[in-house]
Each structure stands twice: as C-alpha cells, then as structure tokens.
Amino acid sequence: SKVAIYWEGEPGDSRVLSYSTLHREVNRCASVLRRLGVGRGDAVALYLPMIPELPIFMLACARLGAVHTVVFSGFSAQALGDRMNDVNARVLVTADGGFRRGKVLPLKQIADKALAMAPGVRNAIVVRRTGSDVVMREGRDFWFDDTLKNAEAHVEPEQMESTDPLYILYTSGTTGKPKGILHNTGGYLVFNYATYRWAFAIRDDSVYWCTADVGWVTGHSAIVYAPLMHGASLVMYEGAPDYPEMDRWWDI
C-alpha cells in the first residue's frame, strides 16, 4: 500500500498510485501490448504527456522484454515519424492530448500525421486525457480504457540477459540526424541504482521529485527507474513550472 507515484496534472487534478496498484497496471498494460503482438525484442513508441500511463507503459514494455522509445510530447509529427521508422516500432501509445500552459496539445492529431509516415506501425493505443474529439481509425486505433476490459491480471516477466536492450532514446537532432542510443538492461539499471544510492542517499522512505520530463534520459533515470528500484515515492507533474503562477513547484 506504500505510495509509488504522487501525480499532479497541470489543471490541478491528482492521482496517487501505490506500489500494488502500479504493479497491477503494469501487468494489465503488458497484457494489452501482448494481445497486439508485442513480444521480446519488439519496439514500442510512447508519445504521451507527463501522466502515470507513461511510466506504466515503459515498465510494461520491460516486463515483456520489448524495447520502448519515448518521444517527448513537444516534438513534431516529423520527429515522431522519423523515430518510429528508425526503431521499427510495431505499436504507438499516445493520448488524445495533454495540457501545457493552459492549452491543449493535440497529441493524437500530431500522431496521426506521424503514423502516415510510419506504415510499419500497426496499432495505436490512445489514452483519454483531455476529452478532445479525435479521429480514430477503425482496426488501427484503440482507446486505452477499452483495451483494458479484457486485460489479464498477471503477465510473467520475460527473463532477460544483462546485455539485452531495455530502451532506445534518440538524441535531440539539433546537431544532425537524431541518433538512437541503446541502453541495455543490466548495466543501465545497476548504474542508476548505485548512482542514486551514493549521490542522493535515496531510501525506501524517501519522497523524491525530479522536475525533468520523461522524454529525456534524465526523466528515464531520475523519474522512473532509479526511484522505483529503491522503493521510494516519486512525484510527477504534467505541466509547466510557472503555470498558472511562478510558485507552482513550491505549491506542489
């Protein structure tokens, strides 16, 4: 019953996920991905706002032995399409939209343009976040809550070698074509566990907040993998640090 994630959305809504709830949701999402044909070594693209479903799907991919590639939700359709093609993604997980500085980012609309450039992506899972009207292509797009209706409660975790890939994250592309950086399972996780023990003295009774975005490698390490490996409680916030006022972080 211990808290795994304290989450706050930009509009002020909030969710608290215990470790048991997180475990359940990761299993259910792994079941959803497996039903769509995702297995060991397959790539899944994640184009989501800073909502709990982002780390949940990252961990679901890891449970299946699939490789996740997170694309920052501020990136364009071209950037998303290029990354999905390069990693040969089979499934995209996105949302109807996200909140940023009081406005709705039309993530599904952007994703549709990217999907038109990435014919290898067979399915898209869409999380309801903003309630925006979006176009859903029959046979390709599925609402996330609909996919959960028949999800299994437990998916046996794939046994991986330490050198097997965990995820691929792309460089920003500011100095040339974005390059996919592969992080393996053993080395990456051991490094992050040790770093946060030695540098932060993080413990299982810590409440830890990294204000980065999961779309960057800092977010992968400091928001998702390192705190959870230590059994800590992490804080996750969706929006801009100065919206609606400059003291938003302090308020949280």
Side-chain angles (χ1 to χ4, degrees):
S1 62
K2 181 186 172 185
V3 172
I5 300 174
Y6 291 103
W7 174 81
E8 183 167 316
E10 188 179 80
D13 48 336
S14 62
R15 292 163 64 185
V16 177
L17 282 74
S18 66
Y19 268 90
S20 58
T21 300
L22 178 62
H23 181 261
R24 181 192 69 207
E25 295 307 308
V26 167
N27 274 272
R28 295 172 76 204
C29 288
S31 171
V32 167
L33 291 173
R34 190 167 64 179
R35 286 172 182 265
L36 293 177
V38 175
R40 183 182 184 129
D42 292 329
V44 176
L46 306 176
Y47 185 61
L48 288 162
M50 285 280 287
I51 55 178
E53 284 75 15
L54 180 48
I56 286 169
F57 267 104
M58 292 167 67
L59 297 169
C61 289
R63 195 168 186 87
L64 292 173
V67 179
H68 62 72
T69 185
V70 177
V71 182
F72 173 52
S73 60
F75 277 176
S76 67
Q78 185 69 56
L80 174 59
D82 287 346
R83 286 160 174 77
M84 289 193 297
N85 283 328
D86 196 62
V87 79
N88 194 26
R90 296 169 67 99
V91 172
L92 168 67
V93 182
T94 187
D96 56 359
F99 294 102
R100 185 75 176 178
R101 298 190 189 281
K103 298 179 181 178
V104 172
L105 296 174
L107 296 182
K108 179 57 165 64
Q109 183 179 329
I110 297 169
D112 284 339
K113 295 177 182 177
L115 287 166
M117 309 173 199
V121 181
R122 299 185 301 197
N123 296 112
I125 299 170
V126 185
V127 179
R128 299 181 196 266
R129 170 65 186 128
T130 63
S132 304
D133 290 330
V134 297
V135 176
M136 299 288 284
R137 180 183 291 183
E138 188 174 355
R140 184 195 71 181
D141 302 345
F142 301 97
W143 287 110
F144 174 52
D145 47 5
D146 289 339
T147 66
L148 289 176
K149 292 176 181 176
N150 297 314
E152 298 171 36
H154 178 76
V155 172
E156 192 68 20
E158 189 74 16
Q159 294 188 29
M160 308 297 288
E161 295 292 335
S162 65
T163 53
D164 285 338
L166 177 65
Y167 69 85
I168 295 175
L169 187 64
Y170 284 80
T171 58
S172 63
T174 52
T175 57
K177 180 180 172 62
K179 293 166 281 294
I181 311 300
L182 187 148
H183 298 259
N184 64 24
T185 301
Y188 171 79
L189 294 177
V190 169
F191 169 79
N192 273 285
Y193 182 91
T195 298
Y196 278 78
R197 181 176 179 179
W198 296 336
F200 291 89
I202 195 168
R203 304 189 308 266
D204 62 3
D205 60 351
S206 299
V207 178
Y208 179 77
W209 186 14
C210 170
T211 61
D213 193 286
V214 175
W216 312 114
V217 70
T218 304
H220 282 56
S221 300
I223 301 176
V224 182
Y225 286 109
L228 293 177
M229 279 193 292
H230 281 279
S233 301
L234 65 93
V235 177
M236 187 177 180
Y237 170 56
E238 176 186 32
D242 57 354
Y243 184 86
E245 302 293 343
M246 291 294 290
D247 64 348
R248 184 62 186 269
W249 279 355
W250 283 263
D251 180 67
I252 293 172

